[in-house]
Amino acid sequence: MVDAALIQKCADQSLKPAIVERFIKQGGSSDPLAVTVRSGNRVVLVPQAKTAEAAMDIIRRNIGHNTVRVGITQYPAGVGLFDAGQLKPDLVDACDNIRMGTALFAKVYRIVVRWYGNPAEEAFEDAIDAWQTGYFEGTAVFRAPDPGEVRLAMPSEKEAAGENMDVPENATRSKEDENDAASDAGSDPNKAGIRVDLSGIGVSKP
């Protein structure tokens, strides 16, 4: 369990602490040195890092070839990077990882909430799925532009306030469509847009 004081100090201010706690519980890790490596649908076994240096070494060895998630928020290593040398140890610093991870998740959550029209329970669950796969409704969420201000209340808060928000027409979809979209997004983590292919650095592209 991540310390509440750490969340209060480091998390993105657009997210309520309760949202951050739930996000980390469902989509993150309690270990700031946790490194998860996947190749397609297969989890690649890597040594459990005991130090920040060891964790960074695992990241550097896998970043150009596999999908790599790091730290408390399981931040997608490689987002926005063009060179492995740009990797910084703040990825495995607890506070910095929470700061970066919650800021990126807040954007993902805003994308999903804007699509739904309100922060319903389904919107939060879809935001977690989008965080894990990198996609929502065909959009590569980590690279997508931020939709701007969206109220990111927990569903229970919204219901307690008795608020009603208009739901856009495209928010009406069948259960079959939801299942198909989830299946397509989760079938190939390599297409999740959460890493940069660095394997061809220094080599002419065909």
Side-chain angles (χ1 to χ4, degrees):
M1 187 70 178
V2 179
D3 185 68
L6 191 64
I7 289 175
Q8 188 70 33
K9 174 186 176 184
C10 307
D12 189 89
Q13 293 301 303
S14 67
L15 295 177
K16 299 284 188 181
I19 296 178
V20 176
E21 289 178 6
R22 189 172 170 191
F23 158 56
I24 292 173
K25 181 178 180 181
Q26 293 185 224
S29 169
S30 59
D31 182 5
L33 300 179
V35 179
T36 304
V37 179
R38 286 187 173 85
S39 177
N41 292 322
R42 182 174 62 89
V43 176
V44 178
L45 295 179
V46 295
Q48 183 176 359
K50 301 296 185 182
T51 65
E53 291 76 14
M56 290 303 298
D57 182 59
I58 294 170
I59 296 167
R60 291 189 183 97
R61 283 191 281 109
N62 287 278
I63 190 64
H65 314 284
N66 299 305
T67 298
V68 182
R69 295 299 188 104
V70 185
I72 289 174
T73 62
Q74 286 294 277
Y75 186 85
V79 168
L81 300 184
F82 296 96
D83 189 287
Q86 293 178 300
L87 289 168
K88 297 179 180 179
D90 54 5
L91 282 170
V92 292
D93 176 83
C95 187
D96 285 336
N97 186 277
I98 290 173
R99 175 180 55 77
M100 294 187 299
T102 54
L104 186 57
F105 177 73
K107 185 188 80 166
V108 172
Y109 193 17
R110 282 191 288 270
I111 290 171
V112 177
V113 168
R114 176 62 60 86
W115 188 90
Y116 269 91
N118 64 76
E121 177 67 21
E122 292 84 356
F124 181 84
E125 293 299 331
D126 275 358
I128 291 293
D129 286 343
W131 178 259
Q132 294 171 333
T133 66
Y135 274 92
F136 174 71
E137 292 294 314
T139 298
V141 290
F142 298 136
R143 298 193 300 265
D146 196 314
E149 267 192 53
V150 176
R151 183 168 180 264
L152 300 179
M154 289 294 284
S156 58
E157 292 177 1
K158 180 180 183 298
E159 292 166 3
E163 295 179 4
N164 291 308
M165 299 177 67
D166 294 331
V167 178
E169 287 185 2
N170 69 343
T172 302
R173 58 177 180 175
S174 68
K175 191 65 177 176
E176 290 78 14
D177 289 340
E178 291 180 4
N179 291 338
D180 289 344
S183 176
D184 291 343
S187 61
D188 189 354
N190 262 352
K191 296 181 180 179
I194 61 173
R195 63 185 176 88
V196 175
D197 185 359
L198 304 173
S199 58
I201 291 176
V203 179
S204 299
K205 296 288 184 181

